[in-house]
Amino acid sequence: MAHAHTVKRYTGLMDWLTTVDHKKIGILYLIGGGLFFLLGGLEAILIRIQLMYPQNDFLDASTYNQVLTMHGTTMIFLAVMPIIFAFMNAIIPLQIGARDVAYPFVNAVGFWMFFLGGLLLNVSWFFNGAPDAGWTSYVPLANNEYSGKGVDFYVLGLQIAGIGTLAGGINFLVTIINMRAPGMTFMRMPLFTWTSFITSALILFAFPAITVGLVLLMFERLFSANYFDVAAGGNIVLWQHIFWIFGHPEVYILILPAFGIISEIVSTFARKRLFGYSAMVFATALIGFLGFMVWVHHMFTTGLGPIGNAIFSIATMLIAIPTGIKIFNWIFTMWGGQYSFNTASLFAAGFIPTFVMGGVTGVMLAAPAADWQYHDSYFVVAHFHYVIVGGLVFGLLAGLHYWWPKMFGRMLNETIGKFSFWTFFIGFHMTFLVQHFLGLWGMPRRIFTFLENQGLDELNFISTIGALLMGVSTIAILVNIAVTQMKPRNAPADPWDGRTLEWSIPSPAPEYNFKQIPLVRGLDALFKEKIEGKKEMTPAEPLGPIHMPSPSILPFTMSIGLFIAGFGFMYARWDFDNGFLDAIFGHYIVAGAGLLITLVSMLLRSVFDDHGYHIEVEELEKEVHA
Ligand code: HEM
Ligand SMILES: [Cu+2]
C-alpha cells in the first residue's frame, strides 16, 4: 500500500537550485555549458582578430596567452563536456525506459561542482589575471616562476569541476547497468546510450589521472613541493605523461557520444535501422580501449626513443580501423535509405566528411618522423579542430536540433536552422582548412603574432573571416532559440517518426518519464511496435504509484563551500597589503570555512532521512485525460 510522504516542491529560482530531476539537470547543463561555449567562442574570435593581420597589436602577448589558455580550457572542460552531459541527462533515462538516473542527488552534485568550478576558473579574469600556461599547463611553464596566479585558478577550478564530471560518469555507469527497462538487453540499447556508457567508463579511468596531476601541481604551486623541479630531483616529463594519460582518452570521452548522436540521427532520417549495429558497439568499445594505449603520441618529440615511438605510433594508427568501420556503417545506413534533410540531419551528414578529414591528418601525425615536422605548428591546430569542432561540435549541434522538441516541447525553426548549418559548415572549413597549409608553411602554434610577407598573411585573413562566419551561425542559433521560445509549446511526442523510447512519451517528458515502464521487444523498441501497427509501447507493469526523490539545496551548498575553499587556498599566502584581508585569508581561515560548509552539507545529507514522495495513481490518470 502506498504511503504518502510530504511533498516538497519549490518554484522559480529555488526550483532550479534544488532540482534533482534528470531532465531539469540536463537543461541546467545545457545552459551552463552553452554560456561557457559562448565565452570560449568569444575568446576564439579574439584570438582570430589578433591573428587577422601580421604584427597586429589588438591583444598584447600576455593577454593573448591568457585568452588562448582560457579558450582551450573553457571549450574542453566547461563547454563541450557539459553539453554532452546535458544530452546524457536529458535523454539516456528516456532511451532505456527509466524514471530517473540511479543517484538523482549525486547528479545534482555533479552539475553544481562543474558549474562552480567553471565559475572559479573564470573569475580569474578579475583577480590577478587568467591562467596563461596553455590548456595543457606544461611544467615548468606552469610553475610559479614562469606563470601568473591564474594557474592556481586552473588547478583548483578544474579540480572542483573534475569532481563533478567523475560523479556524473559514475552515475551514468550505474544507471545504464541497473535501470534498463525489462527486455532492454545490452545489445538492444540505442547507440547514444552505448557510446555514453563507454564514455562514462573512460571518465572513470581517465579523470583520476588528471586529479592526481592537478594535486601534484597544486602542491608544487601552493606548498612549494618539488615533483616537477628538475634542480630538486623532480621530472618535467612526468607531468606530460600524467596529463596525456588523461588527455588522450579525454578526446574519446568527447567524441564517442557525438558518434552516438550521429548514429541515432542517421538511422532516424534514413528511415532504416543502423547498419552493422553490433559492429558499431564493438568498434566503440575498441576505440575506448585503444584510446588509453596511445597517449605517448603527444610526446613523440620529447625524445622517448625509437622503440617507444614505434609502439605508440602503431597503436595510434590501429584506432583508424574501428573508426573506419563506423564511418562505413553510417554511409551504408544512408545508402538506399530515404535520407531527408533538415537541420539535425544536415549537421549529421556534414559531420561525416569533416570528421574523416580530421582522422586522416591524425594518421599523418601518428607517424613520428612526420610529427617531428608538424609538431607545434598550425597543422596540429587544424587537425584537432577538425576532430573536435568538425566532429564533436557538429554532433552536438545535430543533437541539439534533434532533441530540442523532447527537451523543451517546442520545434526549432527550420529556416533559421538551415541558415545556421550552412554558415557554420562554410565558416568552419574556411577557418581550419587553410590552417593545414599555414602549418606546413611554417607557422608555429601558440604565437601571438607573425611577421608580414612570410606567405602567412592571406591565409590568416581567410581563417579569421571563417571564424566570424561561425560567429554569425552561433548568433543565428541563439535567435532561433529565442524565436522558438515565444511560440506555444506544441511539439508532438514523436516529430521525426523516431525509433527509440524517448519518442514514445510526450514532449517534454512528464516528471516521472514513463507512467508505466515499457516492455522492450527488440532493437529500436518503438519502431518495432510501430511496424506491428501499435502506436505506443506495451507496458511492463501495472499502473501504480510512482516514487520520486525530494529536491534538495545541499548539492548547491556543497559546491559553494568548495568554491569558497578554492579562494581560501589560493590566497592563503598572498600579501594583500590590507590587514583585514590578510587576516581572514591567512591561517587558511577562508579555506577552512569553505570546507566546513561542504562538510556540514554532507553531514546533513547523511543524518536526515528523506524518503521522497509518491505520485498517486489518481494523479497519473488525471494527467492522461488532461
Ligand atoms: C569554433 C570556433 C573556434 C575557433 C575559431 C578556434 C580557434 C582557435 C585558435 C586560433 C587557437 C590557437 C591555436 C594556437 O595558437 O595554438 C585555438 C586553440 C585551441 N582550441 Fe580552438 N577554436 C574554436 C573552437 C574550439 C572548440 C569547440 C574547442 C574544443 C572543444 C577548441 C579547443 C582548442 C584547444 C584545446 C586549443 C589549444 C589551446 C592551447 O594551446 O592552450 N577550440 N583555437
Ligand atoms: Cu592523442
Side-chain angles (χ1 to χ4, degrees):
M1 185 57 215
H3 47 296
H5 305 291
T6 39
V7 182
K8 268 190 258 165
R9 274 185 214 266
Y10 298 98
T11 52
L13 183 64
M14 256 325 252
D15 179 29
W16 292 99
L17 292 180
T18 57
T19 186
V20 294
D21 175 359
H22 71 97
K23 296 175 289 296
K24 285 191 179 149
I25 292 177
I27 292 175
L28 285 174
Y29 266 115
L30 191 64
I31 296 172
L35 288 176
F36 284 123
F37 188 82
L38 293 179
L39 200 60
L42 191 69
E43 284 153 357
I45 302 253
L46 295 181
I47 296 176
R48 277 318 322 168
I49 292 178
Q50 166 62 18
L51 297 176
M52 194 167 184
Y53 301 109
Q55 291 179 286
N56 203 357
D57 57 6
F58 176 69
L59 300 177
D60 62 40
S62 151
T63 315
Y64 183 89
N65 285 345
Q66 296 174 33
V67 174
L68 172 69
T69 301
M70 286 304 279
H71 162 69
T73 311
T74 303
M75 281 299 195
I76 301 268
F77 292 101
L78 310 179
V80 293
M81 295 253 317
I83 296 179
I84 292 169
F85 269 72
F87 292 139
M88 285 165 64
N89 265 294
I91 303 302
I92 287 181
L94 307 186
Q95 278 198 335
I96 62 175
R99 293 224 164 89
D100 206 330
V101 293
Y103 308 120
F105 182 91
V106 175
N107 202 18
V109 174
F111 169 75
W112 289 111
M113 291 282 174
F114 138 67
F115 188 70
L116 286 161
L119 210 58
L120 183 64
L121 195 46
N122 273 281
V123 293
S124 61
W125 286 112
F126 308 104
F127 294 86
N128 314 108
D132 53 1
W135 86 283
T136 54
S137 266
Y138 274 4
V139 288
L141 188 60
N143 289 354
N144 284 325
E145 290 172 80
Y146 302 109
S147 69
K149 191 81 188 139
V151 180
D152 292 337
F153 283 88
Y154 173 97
V155 167
L156 288 162
L158 286 190
Q159 198 72 282
I160 297 172
I163 300 173
T165 309
L166 199 49
I170 293 170
N171 209 345
F172 279 104
L173 280 177
V174 181
T175 302
I176 295 170
I177 293 174
N178 269 344
M179 314 248 313
R180 284 164 293 129
M184 173 69 74
T185 59
F186 269 97
M187 292 311 277
R188 285 177 182 174
M189 262 169 20
L191 246 285
F192 177 65
T193 298
W194 251 118
T195 52
S196 300
F197 181 63
I198 309 259
T199 278
S200 305
L202 296 190
I203 288 174
L204 181 63
F205 292 112
F207 268 71
I210 185 78
T211 304
V212 168
L214 290 171
V215 167
L216 299 186
L217 191 57
M218 176 173 83
F219 277 33
E220 187 101 352
R221 291 184 56 91
L222 299 181
F223 310 123
S224 318
N226 292 315
Y227 296 105
F228 308 122
D229 181 355
V230 176
N235 186 338
I236 49 174
V237 179
L238 176 64
W239 170 263
Q240 295 193 24
H241 278 295
I242 295 175
F243 185 87
W244 288 113
I245 283 172
F246 148 77
H248 191 81
E250 170 69 9
V251 181
Y252 295 93
I253 290 171
L254 299 180
I255 199 66
L256 291 180
F259 285 177
I261 296 173
I262 300 300
S263 306
E264 304 282 323
I265 295 180
V266 163
S267 95
T268 299
F269 291 101
R271 314 193 51 70
K272 279 168 67 187
R273 79 176 259 184
L274 189 69
F275 187 93
Y277 170 84
S278 35
M280 288 299 235
V281 170
F282 287 110
T284 308
L286 195 58
I287 294 172
F289 175 76
L290 287 174
F292 277 96
M293 303 293 137
V294 303
W295 80 94
V296 167
H297 65 211
H298 295 269
M299 302 166 66
F300 283 153
T301 57
T302 49
L304 294 161
I307 308 241
N309 281 356
I311 290 172
F312 284 96
S313 166
I314 292 166
T316 303
M317 292 181 188
L318 279 181
I319 298 188
I321 298 170
T323 312
I325 290 175
K326 293 198 149 251
I327 304 278
F328 280 111
N329 282 347
W330 288 318
I331 295 175
F332 289 145
T333 308
M334 297 167 95
W335 198 281
Q338 306 154 322
Y339 202 74
S340 55
F341 288 101
N342 63 11
T343 314
S345 69
L346 275 172
F347 272 111
F351 165 97
I352 297 176
T354 315
F355 181 76
V356 167
M357 288 175 66
V360 168
T361 50
V363 176
M364 293 168 74
L365 287 163
D371 184 55
W372 199 270
Q373 280 295 320
Y374 305 136
H375 186 71
D376 270 345
S377 80
Y378 257 78
F379 189 86
V380 174
V381 179
H383 155 70
F384 74 73
H385 282 91
Y386 261 85
V387 173
I388 262 170
V389 184
L392 176 64
V393 176
F394 273 53
L396 292 180
L397 291 177
L400 189 80
H401 289 84
Y402 182 61
W403 281 315
W404 190 272
K406 190 49 68 187
M407 287 179 75
F408 296 96
R410 294 181 172 93
M411 303 293 287
L412 285 170
N413 179 304
E414 275 301 314
T415 315
I416 310 181
K418 285 184 179 148
F419 174 81
S420 39
F421 168 76
W422 285 109
T423 40
F424 198 85
F425 189 79
I426 297 169
F428 168 81
H429 285 282
M430 244 175 109
T431 311
F432 294 109
L433 187 68
V434 295
Q435 290 184 3
H436 294 106
F437 301 102
L438 283 170
L440 295 176
W441 297 346
M443 179 163 162
R445 71 186 278 205
R446 296 177 169 166
I447 47 154
F448 85 106
T449 193
F450 53 96
L451 292 176
E452 59 190 330
N453 298 324
Q454 309 261 316
L456 307 176
D457 304 9
E458 288 79 12
L459 294 190
N460 268 304
F461 186 79
I462 294 174
S463 183
T464 302
I465 300 298
L468 294 174
L469 203 55
M470 276 191 276
V472 170
S473 166
T474 312
I475 293 170
I477 294 171
L478 293 176
V479 169
N480 197 349
I481 291 172
V483 169
T484 303
Q485 215 53 30
M486 291 186 285
K487 294 268 167 65
R489 244 187 208 223
N490 58 0
D494 183 15
W496 320 118
D497 195 5
R499 311 172 73 82
T500 41
L501 284 180
E502 73 267 33
W503 306 111
S504 70
I505 52 174
S507 309
E511 58 174 331
Y512 44 81
N513 297 352
F514 296 88
K515 202 157 42 102
Q516 290 163 279
I517 296 295
L519 179 69
V520 174
R521 299 193 300 142
L523 183 65
D524 288 348
L526 177 60
F527 203 75
K528 192 164 167 63
E529 304 296 321
K530 284 186 194 169
I531 46 182
E532 291 178 10
K534 294 195 212 113
K535 292 221 159 51
E536 44 187 49
M537 300 298 300
T538 316
E541 56 170 22
L543 191 60
I546 296 173
H547 180 234
M548 303 294 294
S550 299
S552 167
I553 193 70
L554 295 176
F556 179 69
T557 53
M558 271 181 204
S559 315
I560 288 279
L562 287 190
F563 180 87
I564 295 171
F567 269 105
F569 279 111
M570 277 189 281
Y571 285 102
R573 293 183 174 190
W574 187 260
D575 187 3
F576 287 96
D577 278 335
N578 171 324
F580 176 68
L581 285 180
D582 281 332
I584 65 160
F585 275 92
H587 309 291
Y588 295 96
I589 292 174
V590 172
L595 288 183
L596 194 67
I597 295 178
T598 304
L599 290 174
V600 168
S601 308
M602 290 165 83
L603 188 74
L604 290 177
R605 167 68 178 167
S606 26
V607 293
F608 285 108
D609 254 357
D610 188 333
H611 295 288
Y613 60 95
H614 280 110
I615 300 178
E616 304 299 337
V617 176
E618 306 84 71
E619 209 178 322
L620 290 171
E621 278 173 339
K622 208 161 51 205
E623 297 200 22
V624 190
H625 302 297

